[in-house]
Every structure is written in C-alpha cells, then in structure tokens.
Amino acid sequence: MSKARQLANLGNVYDDGALSNRNLIINGAMQVAQRGTSETGKTSAGYYSVDRFKLDVGSAGTWTISQSTTAPDGFGYSYKLDCTTAEASLSTGDYCLVQQHLEGQDLQRLQFGTSSAKNVTLSFWVRSNKTGTYPVYFFNTDNQRSNGFTYTIDTADTWEYKTHIFDGDTAQGFDNDEYSSVQIVWWVAAGTSYTSGATPTGWQAHDNTDRAAGLDVNLADSTSNEWYLTGVQLEVGDTATPFEHRSYGDELARCQRYYYQVGGVGGLLLGGYVTGASDDYTSPFSYPTVMRTEPTVTTTGTWSTSNTAQTKPSVTRVKDYACTIYVTTSGTGNWYMDADSADDLIKFDAEL
C-alpha cells in the first residue's frame, strides 16, 4: 500500500470519529483465554478456551477449541477449531459456527435506524486446510434483521486476510442496553436448513435459510480438518484499517466484564480460627471489574480443607460488582480451605 493511500485511510478513520477504541470486537487478537488454552470433546454450544468467542454446534462433529500459537505476522495467537470426531453427512438441521455477541449499548455510535446510519467494516485473518467458500452472517437480534457475505479460502494452510463493508441500516437500530443486539457469525458446517437460501446483499428480514447460504464446505467431514481465526476487527466506516492492538491488561479487563474465575493452584486460600464448635466464615469478595449483569456462580473441584464442613466454598449475595464467600467450619481451632488444583475454581459467568 502506498504512503498516500495510508494517509488517506487515516483521514477516513478520523472522519468516522475514532483513532483509538475503534474496534468493537473484544479479544480479536485471541490474547485472553481465562478458561484454559485448550478444551476437548465439545459437541454443544459454549464459551471454550479463547474468551468472547462462542462455539455453537448441533450434531456436526466433535471439536477441540484452543488458543493456538499458529498466527500471522504481527499476532501471537489465534482461535483454533479442530475436528476430532467427523460427521461427513450432515442432516438438514446440523450446524457448526463460531460467533461473537455484542451489547446494544456499545453499538449506538453506528446510528443504525436513522438516516445517518454509518457503514461498518469487518476484517479478519483466517486459515484452514479446507479450501472453499465460507459465509459470515451479521445478525441484528433486536429486530431480526440480517446481512452477510462469503469469503473464500483459496490456499490450504495459508493465512489469508479478508474484509467486507456492511452498509448502515437506516431501517432498524439496536436497543441501548447490556443485552446481546448483534451476532457476528462465522459458519464452518451447515445442513440445508441454513444453506438453501441466498447470501444477503443488504439489510433484510432475518431468514434461517440465508444464514449459511453460499457455504460449499463441511469442516466436520474429516478429523484432519482445522480452522483458525485471528485479527478480528469491526469498525465504523468503509475502510479496513490496520488492526488495533490493545494491551493484554486492557483486553483482559474487557473480557472480565463477561467472565471471571478465581482459584486454581495457589489461586485462593481461605482460613482462620474458630473458638466455638462451628461457625460460618463470611468475606466480601470484589470482582476486578463491574460485570455485565449479576453473574451465575459455579464452584468446582475438591478443595484442600481442614476443619470445615464443606469441600468447596459457597457464594451468596451475588451482585454485578461483588459477592460474599462463606465457609461453614466444623470444630474449634484453625481451619482452612485452599484451591490447590487446576479445577478448584469459583466461576463468575455473565456472558451474552
């Protein structure tokens, strides 16, 4: 790209209102993986390994999801989807996809639903051994409207950069709240219930048959298949600018709005001294950032304990900023509860 073109693109970004904080995607460089760098045997929907990117599977193979160090120049990580049990013949309603949900209150700058609706540009790096055509679906869940495009993986096992400009939707906008208003969806396998329509060429009423239209591969058809994604950016304007690299700390804080876990080996030690036969130990516990909503709390593992009536801590008075941890002791004297293995965790989930 010429210097003149780079300067022109910079001017376009300035006109669109942002030189920083322009990427609406969280963890687009796949830096953060709070749940672990790899999770195996997945056959259903969930957030696995890399934060903020959700796998959704319906009878289309078994998958390992990992934070891979295979990445294009300028990136340290990618999201890797690896087929471990194949489904060579898909039924009509089978599917496999990767998506990110976006909050409506973060999308107000797009001005959708007005005559000033702004164009938005999606860019990303992708790689697979499976060449062919793949769809991306932009779904406004508040108003059941959609747009989309297809991209082609031209060369096996080679990083390729893809971009697409979506026109602003003047007809419908987004709710101004903390709930999911948009899904950006990468399809990798689908039955005819999702492929028998046509790829949207503009904003339209949502139609299930259009969601994966144009898909001509089935990533689930062989255990040799894998698919990688990184450098995901969604920004206002009609220019795909260089990826906005954010610090790990910045990206982690953004991810912890939706999910946070504490514990693991050496991650949390509770303890004290009981003067009576038994007692309830309680302690306020603040999260590192305010979460999207009051989280669902799960405790896992079998913690190392002494003089307690529980094998893991309990959590109550859950708010979006803090909770109370309590442990019931079982006798007079010193007591403790220690997270001393990788699965000894307290998980706070406020995902979309």
Side-chain angles (χ1 to χ4, degrees):
M1 180 184 297
S2 70
K3 180 61 68 176
R5 181 69 262 169
Q6 290 176 335
L7 291 171
N9 286 348
L10 182 61
N12 289 340
V13 174
Y14 181 79
D15 289 342
D16 290 327
L19 287 173
S20 62
N21 296 313
R22 66 185 184 277
N23 191 2
L24 291 163
I25 298 294
I26 297 175
N27 201 29
M30 315 300 171
Q31 297 167 269
V32 180
Q34 295 183 82
R35 298 168 177 86
T37 57
S38 182
E39 296 192 60
T40 63
K42 302 307 178 184
T43 59
S44 59
Y47 287 91
Y48 307 117
S49 186
V50 177
D51 279 57
R52 299 301 302 124
F53 286 84
K54 182 180 182 181
L55 178 71
D56 199 354
V57 184
S59 302
T62 303
W63 303 87
T64 291
I65 302 89
S66 60
Q67 182 192 47
S68 173
T69 55
T70 299
D73 292 345
F75 294 90
Y77 300 102
S78 64
Y79 179 105
K80 180 182 179 182
L81 188 58
D82 183 13
C83 182
T84 57
T85 301
E87 185 64 46
S89 180
L90 296 174
S91 298
T92 58
D94 295 349
Y95 59 89
C96 181
L97 56 90
V98 176
Q99 60 186 316
Q100 181 160 140
H101 292 242
L102 305 177
E103 292 182 51
Q105 62 189 0
D106 294 332
L107 301 171
Q108 300 306 305
R109 71 178 86 168
L110 305 186
Q111 300 181 46
F112 277 29
T114 76
S115 59
S116 301
K118 294 182 178 295
N119 294 349
V120 290
T121 298
L122 179 69
S123 56
F124 56 91
W125 288 90
V126 68
R127 168 181 172 144
S128 178
N129 66 294
K130 190 88 168 171
T131 60
T133 301
Y134 297 74
V136 175
Y137 196 68
F138 191 143
F139 185 23
N140 176 345
T141 57
D142 287 333
N143 294 290
Q144 296 294 295
R145 287 175 64 77
S146 60
N147 205 334
F149 72 99
T150 59
Y151 66 92
T152 301
I153 293 181
D154 299 299
T155 306
D157 303 317
T158 302
W159 283 105
E160 298 179 13
Y161 182 62
K162 309 298 178 182
T163 68
H164 183 78
I165 300 168
F166 295 99
D167 291 338
D169 186 3
T170 59
Q172 295 287 349
F174 309 109
D175 296 343
N176 189 15
D177 57 29
E178 71 275 21
Y179 300 103
S180 177
S181 289
V182 159
Q183 299 171 10
I184 305 295
V185 187
W186 290 262
W187 287 82
V188 296
T192 55
S193 292
Y194 307 104
T195 62
S196 58
T199 303
T201 57
W203 289 100
Q204 62 177 45
H206 168 66
D207 185 334
N208 263 342
T209 64
D210 296 340
R211 296 179 73 173
L215 179 66
D216 68 5
V217 302
N218 173 16
L219 198 73
D221 68 6
S222 170
T223 56
S224 298
N225 292 342
E226 53 194 24
W227 179 85
Y228 300 82
L229 179 70
T230 196
V232 183
Q233 182 153 288
L234 182 69
E235 58 191 310
V236 176
D238 56 6
T239 302
T241 66
F243 183 79
E244 181 188 0
H245 288 277
R246 295 191 280 248
S247 71
Y248 176 82
D250 188 356
E251 211 71 85
L252 176 62
R254 293 170 189 253
C255 291
Q256 287 176 334
R257 173 171 170 77
Y258 303 93
Y259 179 83
Y260 169 64
Q261 65 183 37
V262 63
V265 179
L268 184 64
L269 173 63
L270 307 171
Y273 184 85
V274 181
T275 57
S278 65
D279 200 0
D280 286 338
Y281 163 87
T282 63
S283 175
F285 182 82
S286 297
Y287 319 137
T289 189
V290 175
M291 302 193 75
R292 183 187 64 84
T293 189
E294 293 181 3
T296 300
V297 183
T298 306
T299 55
T300 62
T302 302
W303 298 44
S304 177
T305 64
S306 176
N307 201 21
T308 70
Q310 303 167 230
T311 59
K312 52 191 174 185
S314 299
V315 179
T316 187
R317 299 173 184 170
V318 177
K319 302 297 182 182
D320 62 356
Y321 58 90
C323 64
T324 297
I325 296 176
Y326 74 88
V327 175
T328 301
T329 61
S330 58
T332 303
N334 293 315
W335 69 272
Y336 70 82
M337 180 170 287
D338 183 20
D340 66 350
S341 67
D343 62 347
D344 293 348
L345 297 168
I346 306 175
K347 303 177 180 181
F348 303 90
D349 190 336
E351 294 282 9
L352 292 163

